[in-house]
Each structure stands twice: as structure tokens, then as C-alpha cells.
Amino acid sequence: MAEPEFTATGVRIGKRLRSLTRAGEVRISDGRLRLLTSYGSVIDSAPVQTVRASKPWFAPEDRALADLNGTRYSLTLGEHDPAPGQPGPPSARRFIEAVRRAAGRGG
């Protein structure tokens, strides 16, 4: 398996008003976006070209939306990118840019 193009751990993943995991992982690798639980189980997976990533209008900076296979997931990432060498999830803006870049839609 190739090196992931984007990885974020410690991500809160929800569907509608329901929280699916509070410490999940978002990974883009091999042309697919995968949402994983804290135990590594796949919540959902889709080719990155079919994924829509966006920022909710009236939400904090750490929130992003991802539409996979007709299901909208809310993702709570970091508000700011962590300092180099420091643990923590990247910002929601960086996630959206990574999806667009991986899908070939620019970044």
C-alpha cells in the first residue's frame, strides 16, 4: 500500500445528529477516502473523485462536511494545523484541499 496522501487522527465523525466515533481517522490513499473508527474499522469508503468535501456556512473553523456514497458526514478536525512535530488533527481547510488535490480538481 502506498503512503497515504492525507491522514487525520482524533477526528470526531458524525452522521446527522449521531456521533459515530469521537477519535476516528480520515485517510486518503490509493485514490480512496476512508472514514475509520478508533479501532480501524471502516465506517465508509469511496473513490475520492466521487467525494464532495465542503465547509459548513455557520460552523466553527474545525468543521468539514464529506459526502460519500450519498451520505453526509460531519467531521470535526483541528481548528489550526498542529505545530511541526506535534500530534493533533490537521485543519478542516487542509482536509478539503487534500480531497480536491487527490481528485485532480486543484487545491
Side-chain angles (χ1 to χ4, degrees), residues 79-97:
E79 190 168 328
H80 303 286
D81 288 328
Q86 296 297 314
S91 68
R93 180 179 44 83
R94 205 168 111 211
F95 162 71
I96 294 167
E97 291 169 0

Side-chain angles (χ1 to χ4, degrees), residues 60-81:
E61 285 295 312
D62 62 347
R63 299 276 170 83
L65 297 174
D67 292 331
L68 282 79
N69 304 317
T71 304
R72 176 170 288 177
Y73 295 95
S74 63
L75 309 174
T76 305
L77 296 107
E79 190 168 328
H80 303 286
D81 288 328

Side-chain angles (χ1 to χ4, degrees), residues 17-61:
L17 297 176
R18 195 172 126 224
S19 177
L20 301 175
T21 182
R22 294 188 333 184
E25 182 177 351
V26 177
R27 183 182 302 163
I28 298 174
S29 63
D30 301 326
R32 293 190 73 80
L33 174 72
R34 292 176 178 85
L35 302 178
L36 307 167
T37 66
S38 55
Y39 299 109
S41 301
V42 176
I43 295 170
D44 206 344
S45 173
V48 76
Q49 290 84 3
T50 65
V51 174
R52 281 189 41 221
S54 60
K55 176 108 185 60
W57 282 22
F58 300 106
E61 285 295 312

